[in-house]
Amino acid sequence: MVSDSSMNTVLAHFYVFEGLDGAGTTTQAERLVSFLRERVDRVDIDREPTPGVIGTHVRDILAGRRAADHHSLALLFAADRREHMFDPESGVLARHEQGTHIVCDRYLPSSLAYQGVTCGFDRVVSFNGDIPVPLHLFFLEVPVSVCLSRLAGRSEREIFEHEAFLQKTLTAYDAALEHIATLGTTVHRLDGTRSVEEVHDDVCSLVR
Ligand code: TYD
């Protein structure tokens, strides 16, 4: 269930969805959870930033309710992630060891891409250390223009949801995905402009 690549632990039943804001990660994570629940006993859906103390603080910053400089924010994302992974009772690692499958909306590549733009890729890698990685990662490829038109319907906008920044982030995702692949993750790049059903079918055939 758990295998070691060169340094990082690779978690076989930890599935991560990534993409720009508006790419559809939340919808696809929920759909995969429904699919897995019919097949395995225990499935959790998680997200980063988490609902914990640090994650809640991060969401306040993203929503513009609190201020923070970019490096502090990158460190907060990394701290939230470590707690999410390593909490002895509720962490991903603990649940994974008990046989739970965990589907997560965003993880390390979000930091490598978004904070890579603001703080530099190498610094974000060092902030995140040797965190375990998922065996399967699904990257929903959606052009910035499509993401922005999807986001236009939402009432609340966050600090990163702007065209120029998202364009840089999309480019930064290439290095982020390349990096996590070297840690043992299988990266599946999917065309996220298709219907929810078509993307979901691809995801299911890849995890089957
Ligand atoms: P998102 O997951 O899209 O949540 P919501 O649907 O509630 O808006 O938003 C989280 C934002 O945080 C998104 O812009 C990506 C950003 N983010 C980072 O910049 N770094 C990270 O490490 C993570 C996990 C998210």
Side-chain angles (χ1 to χ4, degrees):
M1 272 198 2
V2 179
S3 60
D4 281 310
S5 71
S6 52
M7 293 220 351
N8 290 65
T9 301
V10 181
L11 303 179
H13 300 141
F14 180 40
Y15 314 83
V16 169
F17 284 87
E18 285 285 350
L20 292 180
D21 297 79
T25 57
T26 306
T27 304
Q28 290 300 331
E30 286 168 354
R31 295 299 304 269
L32 177 58
V33 166
S34 308
F35 172 84
L36 290 172
R37 283 207 171 123
E38 288 172 12
R39 287 160 183 83
V40 297
D41 285 343
R42 280 175 292 182
V43 186
D44 287 345
I45 184 159
D46 289 14
R47 67 190 309 202
E48 291 190 1
T50 71
V53 174
I54 304 170
T56 302
H57 184 70
V58 166
R59 284 202 182 273
D60 283 341
I61 296 167
L62 294 177
R65 291 187 289 270
R66 298 184 76 111
D69 72 280
H70 288 306
H71 287 192
S72 304
L73 182 57
L75 285 163
L76 286 166
F77 274 119
D80 183 43
R81 179 163 303 120
R82 289 196 79 80
E83 204 165 77
H84 179 212
M85 178 54 64
F86 294 116
D87 183 279
E89 276 147 37
S90 64
V92 170
L93 213 48
R95 283 178 283 149
H96 191 274
E97 273 166 15
Q98 288 162 4
T100 301
H101 290 236
I102 297 137
V103 178
C104 194
D105 184 357
R106 297 193 178 282
Y107 189 61
L108 174 64
S110 283
S111 278
L112 297 173
Y114 286 75
Q115 281 65 58
V117 171
T118 54
C119 301
F121 181 82
D122 292 344
R123 188 169 280 139
V124 182
V125 169
S126 76
F127 285 171
N128 281 273
D130 54 354
I131 196 100
V133 295
L135 180 57
H136 288 289
L137 183 142
F138 304 96
F139 179 69
L140 306 180
E141 287 188 283
V142 178
V144 171
S145 56
V146 176
C147 290
L148 287 172
S149 64
R150 290 179 182 176
L151 291 170
R154 295 192 193 171
S155 53
E156 285 184 17
R157 299 292 285 267
E158 292 179 339
I159 56 174
F160 297 138
E161 296 173 356
H162 298 286
E163 185 170 4
F165 186 80
L166 289 180
Q167 201 61 62
K168 286 185 197 161
T169 306
L170 186 57
T171 305
Y173 256 119
D174 286 336
L177 299 177
E178 225 170 86
H179 177 79
I180 201 163
T182 67
L183 303 178
T185 294
T186 302
V187 174
H188 308 283
R189 296 181 83 120
L190 304 177
D191 174 0
T193 62
R194 296 170 299 158
S195 72
V196 169
E197 222 40 64
E198 282 173 304
V199 177
H200 175 61
D201 286 349
D202 271 8
V203 171
C204 295
S205 46
L206 289 162
V207 300
R208 237 180 220 120

